[in-house]
């Protein structure tokens, strides 16, 4: 993952998934086979983070309001996933050099965020 754009590892995982020859789920992991960066016996392992956050709530007179803090939380989750993927220890030093050929093969993606709307039934 060599792209230096902001959150490039998340974009690269999305591109990998789009071009994959097969994606299978094993527990909480997606096993992505793309024929290039993976083999049949060694797929790319992706743990997709899917936060449940109150992004909005019903305001007065049926209006929808943004819920403070949730959008910031999404940004923090995306940044954390990217730092884990590329081994960036600038915020949490212990994750430095986690990524690499001879280190952790797991990658983290942020595929979807669910708006709970402050509902307890979601």
């Amino acid at each position: 993952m060599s792209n230096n754009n902001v959150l490039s590892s998340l974009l690269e995982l999305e591109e990998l998934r789009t071009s994959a020859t097969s994606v299978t789920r094993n527990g909480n992991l997606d096993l992505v086979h793309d024929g290039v960066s993976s083999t049949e016996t060694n797929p790319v392992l992706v743990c997709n983070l899917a936060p449940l956050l109150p992004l909005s709530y019903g305001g007065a007179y049926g209006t929808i309001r943004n819920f403070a803090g949730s959008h910031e939380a999404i940004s923090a989750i995306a940044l954390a996933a990217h730092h884990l993927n590329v081994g960036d220890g600038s915020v949490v030093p212990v994750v430095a050099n986690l990524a690499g050929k001879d280190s952790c093969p797991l990658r983290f993606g942020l595929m979807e965020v669910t708006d709970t709307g402050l509902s307890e039934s979601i």
Side-chain angles (χ1 to χ4, degrees):
M1 298 191 182
S2 59
N3 193 333
N4 290 324
N5 293 329
V6 175
L7 303 180
S8 60
S9 69
L10 301 181
L11 297 172
E12 289 173 7
L13 283 176
E14 180 62 24
E15 291 170 5
L16 177 69
R17 175 181 289 281
T18 302
S19 65
T21 55
S22 72
V23 178
T24 55
R25 181 158 287 262
N26 184 359
N28 293 335
L29 292 177
D30 284 346
L31 288 73
V32 181
H33 300 274
D34 69 345
V36 177
S37 55
S38 67
T39 64
E40 194 59 38
T41 58
N42 190 24
V44 177
L45 305 174
V46 180
C47 177
N48 288 304
L49 306 174
L52 303 171
L53 295 168
L55 301 174
S56 62
Y57 66 97
Y61 310 109
T63 60
I64 302 295
R65 306 264 186 212
N66 287 332
F67 195 76
S70 294
H71 294 87
E72 291 86 347
I74 295 168
S75 298
I77 293 166
L79 184 62
H82 176 69
H83 280 198
L84 287 169
N85 289 340
V86 299
D88 184 337
S90 61
V91 176
V92 180
V94 75
V95 304
N97 302 317
L98 268 182
K101 192 173 189 177
D102 299 323
S103 57
C104 181
L106 184 62
R107 298 293 168 250
F108 295 89
L110 183 62
M111 292 290 293
E112 60 187 351
V113 177
T114 301
D115 181 4
T116 64
L118 289 178
S119 172
E120 295 178 8
S121 64
I122 293 198

